[in-house]
Amino acid sequence: QVQLVESGGGLVQTGGSLRLSCTASGIIFSMYAMGWYRQAPGKPRELVARISSGGSTNYADSVKGRFTISRDNAKSTVFLQMNSLKPEDTAVYYCNAFSTVTGANSWGQGTQVTVSS
C-alpha cells in the first residue's frame, strides 16, 4: 500500500519561511518523480514544483526564486523549502508520487499553509 505523509505546514507572516516534508512508503522511492501541488479554496489544484528521479527540477512561474524542491532518497522524503511567502501562497499543499513507466500516481493527505498579510 502506497502512503505519502506531509508535514511542516502552519501559519506564517508575509515574508516568512516554511519547510514542508513528505515521507513515502510502499514504493521504490528512487524510481518515482515527486511533486508538490497546492489548492486554494474555490480554485483548481496546481503544480508548484516537481523533481525527477534523476534530480532535475521544475517550478511554477509564481514560485521561481522563492521555493526549492529537493529529495533524500535514503529517507524516502521530498522537501519543499518556501521562502519569501506571500498571502497568495495560502493553500493546502499536497505531495505527489508519479511513475512515468507505469502511470502510477499517488497523493498525500495535504498540509495547510496559511500566510497572513
Side-chain angles (χ1 to χ4, degrees):
Q1 181 176 329
V2 178
Q3 188 170 25
L4 305 177
V5 180
E6 302 102 330
S7 63
L11 173 63
V12 297
Q13 295 183 13
T14 297
S17 297
L18 284 173
R19 191 190 193 204
L20 306 184
S21 299
C22 170
T23 298
S25 60
I27 62 171
I28 303 175
F29 183 82
S30 62
M31 298 180 66
Y32 279 72
M34 302 297 297
W36 288 97
Y37 292 72
R38 67 187 181 188
Q39 187 169 28
K43 295 186 177 181
R45 187 173 298 186
E46 64 174 353
L47 176 68
V48 176
R50 180 164 47 202
I51 184 166
S52 74
S53 61
S56 62
T57 58
N58 289 286
Y59 297 92
D61 287 342
S62 59
V63 307
K64 285 180 180 176
R66 299 189 297 121
F67 291 10
T68 302
I69 189 170
S70 61
R71 65 192 295 160
D72 185 340
N73 287 345
K75 296 182 177 180
S76 296
T77 300
V78 62
F79 305 95
L80 186 67
Q81 178 66 48
M82 304 186 295
N83 299 326
S84 302
L85 283 162
K86 306 174 181 180
E88 51 262 47
D89 296 318
T90 295
V92 177
Y93 284 69
Y94 296 91
C95 179
N96 171 259
F98 180 68
S99 172
T100 57
V101 176
T102 68
N105 198 357
S106 300
W107 296 91
Q109 81 289 344
T111 185
Q112 177 71 47
V113 171
T114 302
V115 185
S116 63
S117 59

